[in-house]
Amino acid sequence: GEATLSTAGQDFPQFLGPNRDGILKGVTLDADWSAQPPKELWRREIGAGWSGFSVSRGRALTQEQRGKKELISCYDLATGEPLWVHENETRFEESMGGDGPRANPTIDGERVYALGGTGILDCLDFQSGELIWTRHVLEEHGAENLMYGKASSPLIVGELVVVTGGKSPGPTVLAYHREKGELVWSAGDDSASYASPVLASLAGQEQIVCVNHNTVTGHESTTGKIQWTWKWPAKMPKSALAQPAGLDRILVSASYGMGTALLEISREGEDFTVEKVWKNREMKTKFSNVCIAGGYAYGLDEGRLACVELATGKRQWRGKNYGYGQNILVGDHLLVQSERGYVALVEADPHSFKEVGRQNALLHKTWNTPALAGDYLLLRNDREAVCFKLKIK
């Protein structure tokens, strides 16, 4: 049962989708869920962990914990049948945050890159799941793991695969050769956070932007050189990533009283400067991310869906409480994965909060990010996974 061709060119190959920003362009959902409700295709038991699915060419990949083994697993998108699994003898455990891996695999052509909860970075063959190379990111640098485990998903930049490190004294960001697996560069001495690195074009240069424990940094992508640093000290660790927010601007957000800030990067000659456009506490995203559309940012503010105007930082509205869930933007609608397990469909309308649909999906605490590939919606938590077919206009 191969998945239908509706997924062709509509892969969800990494954390938060094709552009790592939680936004799916060129897809319009039929928002009338009462007339055309999501259709459940399959449901299956799954191992522990807070990883989401990454999807390519009819295959859905995730990371999960089964006993003493941490797995990178591949399922058939249309049927949920297991296709292959790669096992590592390791287990991340933490009573409050839960056990198992946290990151999403990154699919890049015929290669899969995955970072486990204890810091094992594997490169696998997409078709067979066979191991091509492996690195112990923390062990190699004598770095201590973060309290809630490694949660950042690998970023592919040119010939490199970029991941984050452990606690201070660093390195904070590391780049490995994506074919051979050797370390090409490492940078920074701040403790890493739970955020994933992103790629952004800022002040005329492609940069890797990383939200760290006490700083936000911009790195020249081929050498890792730190171009600019914005001091943003945290009492508690950050997890939401930086989001490109228009010309030379990025939006960062965190919880534990931190809030949101819009940063602007400029350059004179070789010197980069970073300036705060605004900073407030109108959006505190915990471990979800904001979606940016039409000059507005949408996200879960301590569990309540909220909308903030990018130019000013002014909050437009604060809607229902979905708990510490996740959200992605599909066309002009937000798909909100609630912490309690159901999924809500909400209009991305800066003027008012409108929930237009709701679907029961999972029964227990769900912190995992959803994935939408074509018309296949994949959801999971630390116990089960489910796939729905949505009506696309």
Side-chain angles (χ1 to χ4, degrees):
E2 286 294 305
T4 57
L5 291 174
S6 62
T7 60
Q10 294 176 30
D11 287 349
F12 197 95
Q14 62 174 334
F15 178 56
L16 296 179
N19 302 312
R20 214 181 183 86
D21 56 5
I23 298 169
L24 291 174
K25 294 192 168 83
V27 188
T28 307
L29 295 176
D30 185 329
D32 189 354
W33 279 10
S34 50
Q36 295 280 355
K39 181 181 161 221
E40 187 174 317
L41 294 183
W42 55 263
R43 179 181 292 266
R44 64 176 302 125
E45 170 275 332
I46 204 161
W50 305 119
S51 304
F53 282 99
S54 297
V55 185
S56 181
R57 290 156 285 165
R59 292 171 165 217
L61 280 68
T62 191
Q63 292 167 252
E64 51 186 295
Q65 188 76 41
R66 293 185 188 260
K68 292 179 176 161
K69 292 188 166 72
E70 187 182 68
L71 316 181
I72 302 156
S73 44
C74 175
Y75 297 93
D76 184 293
L77 177 61
T79 64
E81 287 304 306
L83 298 176
W84 56 253
V85 63
H86 172 77
E87 301 179 340
N88 286 317
E89 287 276 344
T90 188
R91 181 182 176 100
F92 177 79
E93 293 181 312
E94 199 280 319
S95 59
M96 202 165 85
D99 300 349
R102 277 97 164 101
N104 271 37
T106 300
I107 305 166
D108 180 51
E110 292 306 309
R111 299 279 184 271
V112 177
Y113 300 89
L115 183 66
T118 62
I120 298 173
L121 175 64
D122 282 337
C123 171
L124 309 176
D125 180 85
F126 175 75
Q127 299 299 335
S128 66
E130 277 177 42
L131 183 67
I132 297 164
W133 56 258
T134 187
R135 300 300 298 238
H136 288 252
V137 171
L138 299 178
E139 218 173 83
E140 286 171 21
H141 295 90
E144 196 186 330
N145 202 347
L146 308 178
M147 189 192 329
Y148 300 121
K150 288 303 300 163
S152 63
S153 301
L155 171 70
I156 300 294
V157 186
E159 289 304 299
L160 307 174
V161 52
V162 179
V163 294
T164 62
K167 286 189 179 166
S168 192
T172 320
V173 192
L174 307 102
Y176 294 89
H177 193 282
R178 70 179 190 179
E179 292 295 325
K180 306 187 194 90
E182 79 261 15
L183 185 68
V184 176
W185 58 255
S186 64
D189 53 16
D190 192 1
S191 290
S193 74
Y194 302 100
S196 298
V198 295
L199 204 55
S201 179
L202 297 166
Q205 189 193 69
E206 181 183 76
Q207 296 179 21
I208 295 159
V209 181
C210 227
V211 176
N212 315 308
H213 187 58
N214 293 301
T215 54
V216 182
T217 47
H219 301 260
E220 202 274 321
S221 60
T222 51
T223 64
K225 180 186 174 203
I226 296 175
Q227 304 288 36
W228 53 268
T229 302
W230 187 61
K231 288 190 170 55
W232 198 30
K235 290 186 188 72
M236 288 291 284
K238 309 186 188 99
S239 55
L241 41 77
Q243 292 285 24
L247 206 60
D248 301 333
R249 289 181 167 192
I250 53 167
L251 189 73
V252 293
S253 177
S255 271
Y256 304 109
M258 307 252 335
T260 304
L262 184 68
L263 309 179
E264 190 162 60
I265 317 302
S266 52
R267 175 182 187 176
E268 274 186 40
E270 292 302 295
D271 299 328
F272 289 80
T273 50
V274 53
E275 294 204 10
K276 175 184 79 193
V277 181
W278 54 260
K279 179 171 174 276
N280 62 39
R281 293 184 184 181
E282 303 282 89
M283 180 89 76
K284 301 171 292 300
T285 50
K286 200 84 166 198
F287 40 71
S288 62
N289 287 280
V290 295
C291 302
I292 292 172
Y296 295 89
Y298 300 88
L300 293 165
D301 171 36
E302 295 292 0
R304 290 186 88 91
L305 191 67
C307 172
V308 167
E309 186 179 35
L310 271 183
T312 62
K314 190 164 172 274
R315 189 158 64 208
Q316 306 300 298
W317 50 256
R318 208 160 173 248
K320 279 185 186 152
N321 191 343
Y322 295 110
Y324 294 114
Q326 303 287 348
N327 45 265
I328 56 174
L329 181 72
V330 186
D332 49 8
H333 286 86
L334 292 150
L335 274 171
V336 183
Q337 169 67 70
S338 77
E339 185 176 30
R340 284 183 14 221
Y342 67 85
V343 178
L345 188 63
V346 178
E347 284 184 16
D349 179 348
H351 305 298
S352 63
F353 168 80
K354 290 192 214 62
E355 182 187 291
V356 293
R358 192 176 273 214
Q359 173 68 41
N360 288 329
L362 300 162
L363 295 170
H364 299 96
K365 179 172 76 182
T366 304
W367 289 345
N368 315 56
T369 52
L372 183 70
D375 49 6
Y376 290 83
L377 175 65
L378 284 157
L379 311 169
R380 65 159 286 199
N381 55 21
D382 61 343
R383 302 176 188 202
E384 63 174 345
V386 62
C387 178
F388 292 97
K389 211 170 167 67
L390 301 186
K391 179 91 189 313
I392 304 275
K393 278 183 178 170

